[in-house]
Amino acid sequence: MSKCESCIVKEFNSLKSLTRQELMRVSACKTGKIYKKGQVIFEEGETLNGVYCVRDGVCKLTKLSENGKNQVVKLVVKGGLLGKRSLVTEQKTNLSAVALNDMEMCFIPKSEIMADLVKNPKFTMDVLKKMANDLKDSDISLVNMAQKSVKRRMAEILIYIYDNFGTNADDYLNIVISREDYASIVGTATESAIRILSQFKKEGLISTKGKQIKIEDYGSLKWIE
Amino acid sequence: MSKCESCIVKEFNSLKSLTRQELMRVSACKTGKIYKKGQVIFEEGETLNGVYCVRDGVCKLTKLSENGKNQVVKLVVKGGLLGKRSLVTEQKTNLSAVALNDMEMCFIPKSEIMADLVKNPKFTMDVLKKMANDLKDSDISLVNMAQKSVKRRMAEILIYIYDNFGTNADDYLNIVISREDYASIVGTATESAIRILSQFKKEGLISTKGKQIKIEDYGSLKWIE
DNA sequence: AGAATTACATGATAAATATCATATTTTAAG
DNA sequence: CTTAAAATATGATATTTATCATGTAATTCT
């Protein structure tokens, strides 16, 4: 397993603000973990005793609603850090994490990283900034959810995935998820999600191959409605 | 104007984690501000050069949606601190703040408080924790917005206001806001908000006197649907 | 106090979305 | 490879919510 000091993945998260010395210490105590598609990384209500650093793959962060449906709150890819909030607040996690494809992660015990959080102001400030940004994103999501139509939200998540996670060689979106997941991101019934994707297909905005989706008309999708 | 060192309001926010010395410095440079009902404290996109500490009154934090409607993201009362995010990220604010009734606030210049944020780990950790909690609340709001009916959301905001901000001597909710604001909190059309409140009234769950609302049947409201 | 503005209320109707039913296709398991 | 299970698709219908219209009550202004 590669050492934290030389790991490029950390460039995308707060760990980059640690000193070389701190990184070596973290590296020594981290453990690598592999998760298969569909596997639960942690469950809402669990006590996390560390943070997870995503080296490869994608996972969804979900929250259970009172009506029993799971809502996807965020997608996390390479470089993402899971469990920041629980690290800071000492509370049980309020989200579940589930692998959307095969994943490779590093687990860093809380005890190790907490010391740095208190002692290294650069690291603390970086975590603080990341958290502030998450909060901003969350506000945006809230407004989208409250004010936009399901069709619009679906178009936006497709654009979001395209912009942030890119496409493979055949131009299909890199992130491949079920219609049920799309429904749970957008906050609608699975059938409604399917219907809207079918409609997009008929209108030539997207095309599909199995679960894979290709964006055919970015502009129209972006400015839909 | 009272000194920060002896101000009880700060007990509700991160300022309580400052040392006596730091508080005296903050106190020396803070300015008091009065806002009338309906007055804009700051507007989305503005550069904030400090944080606001709410001494009295209530304000709403809103975000403009692309469709031109304002969405209320949060209500802030005595003890609340506005502008934390902008302080930390050095970005322009992503929310507007509008007074819902007459307010009394203290404004603390950024320059003064930033030094403490970097030097005082206890203060930094406290801001971090507050931010983490805001994030958790935001996730909950997102799920509510995505998965619950307008009626349910309306019931919940009434319960929320009752639980968090209390009632006056006549048992009417302390926070008095227009139906339009209710609509913008719940994320619905003003007419729909009005209709639902009328329905609640018919069902004996609430009663009203002008804009004031009294919760008559907390239990039924809480478990509605 | 009276006029004007704004907020509240409610009906009628349209549009969006959910739910239930039932095929069909795709994927996974043996 | 075959079969069972799961995911996708689509119709029919019900429910929820938005929009438009119009009237009444409450506030504000002068």
Side-chain angles (χ1 to χ4, degrees), chain A residues 178-192:
Chain A
S178 69
R179 307 296 149 102
E180 194 183 352
D181 278 328
Y182 273 109
S184 137
I185 292 171
V186 162
T188 191
T190 306
E191 297 96 315
S192 297

Side-chain angles (χ1 to χ4, degrees), chain A residues 69 149-151 187-189 191-192 195 210:
Chain A
K69 281 188 194 166
S149 69
V150 172
K151 195 204 280 188
T188 191
E191 297 96 315
S192 297
R195 242 180 267 275

Side-chain angles (χ1 to χ4, degrees), chain A residues 150-185:
Chain A
V150 172
K151 195 204 280 188
R152 187 72 205 275
R153 268 140 57 198
M154 182 63 83
E156 288 190 2
I157 183 64
L158 290 172
I159 293 289
Y160 174 80
I161 290 176
Y162 180 88
D163 286 346
N164 289 278
F165 309 131
T167 57
N168 65 19
D170 297 332
D171 296 330
Y172 286 97
L173 294 178
N174 265 330
I175 293 190
V176 177
I177 57 182
S178 69
R179 307 296 149 102
E180 194 183 352
D181 278 328
Y182 273 109
S184 137
I185 292 171

Side-chain angles (χ1 to χ4, degrees), chain B residues 69 149-150 188-189 191-192 195:
Chain B
K69 281 186 193 167
S149 70
V150 172
T188 191
E191 297 96 318
S192 297
R195 241 181 267 276

Side-chain angles (χ1 to χ4, degrees), chain A residues 1-9 23-34 53-56 103-109:
Chain A
M1 187 172 25
S2 104
K3 293 176 183 172
C4 293
E5 307 94 275
S6 51
C7 175
I8 39 161
V9 164
L23 279 174
M24 285 171 68
R25 198 159 35 75
V26 164
S27 196
C29 69
K30 77 164 193 295
T31 53
K33 295 198 180 189
I34 301 289
C53 178
V54 180
R55 286 172 54 86
D56 203 23
M103 297 189 78
E104 200 182 322
M105 306 231 264
C106 286
F107 178 79
I108 305 166

